[in-house]
Amino acid sequence: MKEEGYELIIRNGQVVLPGEVRRLEIGVKDGKIAALGEALQASPGTKILDAEGQYVLPGMIDMHVHFNEPAFGHWEGFRSGSAALAAGGCTCYADMPLNGNPPTVNLEALRLKAEAAAGNSAVDYVLWGGLMPGNLEELEGLAAAGVTGFKAFISNPGGEGEGRFREVDDDTLYQGMLRIAATGGILALHAESEAITSALGAAALRAGRSSARDFAASRPPQAELEAVARALLYSERTGCKLHFVHISTAAALELIHEAKLRGLDVTAETCPHYLILDEDSMETLGALAKCAPPLRSSSERDRLWAALAAGRVDLVASDHSPCPPELKLAPGLSFMEAWGGISGAQSSLELMFHEGVHVRGLPVTQISALISGLPARRFGLEGRKGSITPGLDADLVLLDPDAAYTLRAEDLLYRHRHSPYVGMTLSCKVTATICRGNVVYTAAEGVIAGGGGEWLRIRHSQPGI
Ligand SMILES: NC(=O)NC(NC(N)=O)C(=O)[O-]
Ligand SMILES: [Zn+2]
Ligand SMILES: [Zn+2]
């Protein structure tokens, strides 16, 4: 390390450390957190950020976004999507292997994905590979190339066209998990039963039922619970690490928790929309609030919060899955036909603080762990990112806990400025985001120098090969 002093000192902030909040100064050198102390010495070149009255948090690590390049950058792309994340206090994210084309299911597709991202991301990122019928032979190569893990769908992922991402059949899931286990990797699963959701969806369409409530009824909690139970069985049989994305019910969290107690290496994610919105939102907001699994009842939402408070949720991620507005809002398009996927990544951290800390009274440290420390630990980024600890990347967010504001469409930096959260008054605001010591966003200036984010390749332990 250079001796000439800090590039950046953040003064006067309430610093959110693992398990405690302390008024401390943070010194940054060579893009890393170099010191935490009481009165750090500035040198002539040191930039000073005054965080008086604000929290300083580790940057959010959003393990679940769909940036859709190559080929679907007109839905969302690395440049616009990562700018939105930077504005929302996220300093590292994981891009899903769909809905771009080709999906990230072989080395050539991974190369195209990495090419689309390179030089375009405001913050750092990791890339998921995909598991789908026909690509078992590709898994080891993708793991060796540094994908963060593999994503599979148990239910139909939607989308159209040749070569699109497809759900797994049971044998592909089982064989895939055996192979992923051998690389020391992890499988992320969209867990809803295809048999249940496709039968109920088809029956609703035959009966001419296509409203928001009909959509929700076609993807009941039972569909999630059944798929979770089956995947847990496969995990037990194969030894494959498992991560359940966007869990929407407390019952599924309970099943996952019981599996952990039996010794399975399994984790559960939920998303801000299951914690903030409910099935009434689908009626008031229309397809802007359509996602799968669907939003649940307000009592289910409260049970999810109770489960989260009790430690049953391992991490919170956005599942930002946007599309052009006409695929949701075109006149005459029924709720059933509209694209499923919520556009919300820019608001995740603020939503979790607004609702989690300010409304429901959870500790700041617990919310911070769910969006930073725990995802880092689960996905091989611990020791590099996820907490405010000397030696780690200086990935930091300043959050003003008293800066209430009403989210407007023009505040959004997504490719398409729509989101179910537009019009909502949030009790706090991200005022600055710092990635590896670089200030990449301030509320006053917007996104600064948008392309400096790097792909972090993940090294897996590979006991089997
Ligand atoms: N094809 C998708 O992007 N689907 C996504 N859509 C949602 N969640 O509604 C997802 O992650 O399942
Ligand atoms: Zn999904
Ligand atoms: Zn998703």
Side-chain angles (χ1 to χ4, degrees), residues 151 153 190 246:
K151 169 75 176 293
F153 270 64
H190 176 132
H246 55 46

Side-chain angles (χ1 to χ4, degrees), residues 15-22 58 363-369 377 387:
V15 178
V16 180
L17 303 169
E20 59 173 340
V21 180
R22 285 176 60 192
V364 169
T365 47
Q366 187 178 8
I367 295 296
S368 175
R377 188 188 307 167
S387 78

Side-chain angles (χ1 to χ4, degrees), residues 7-8 28 30-32 47 393-396 434-440:
E7 295 138 23
L8 171 68
V28 175
D30 298 328
K32 307 241 181 240
K47 182 182 167 73
D393 286 352
D395 288 1
L396 304 163
I434 297 151
C435 182
R436 274 181 288 104
N438 300 308
V439 179
V440 293

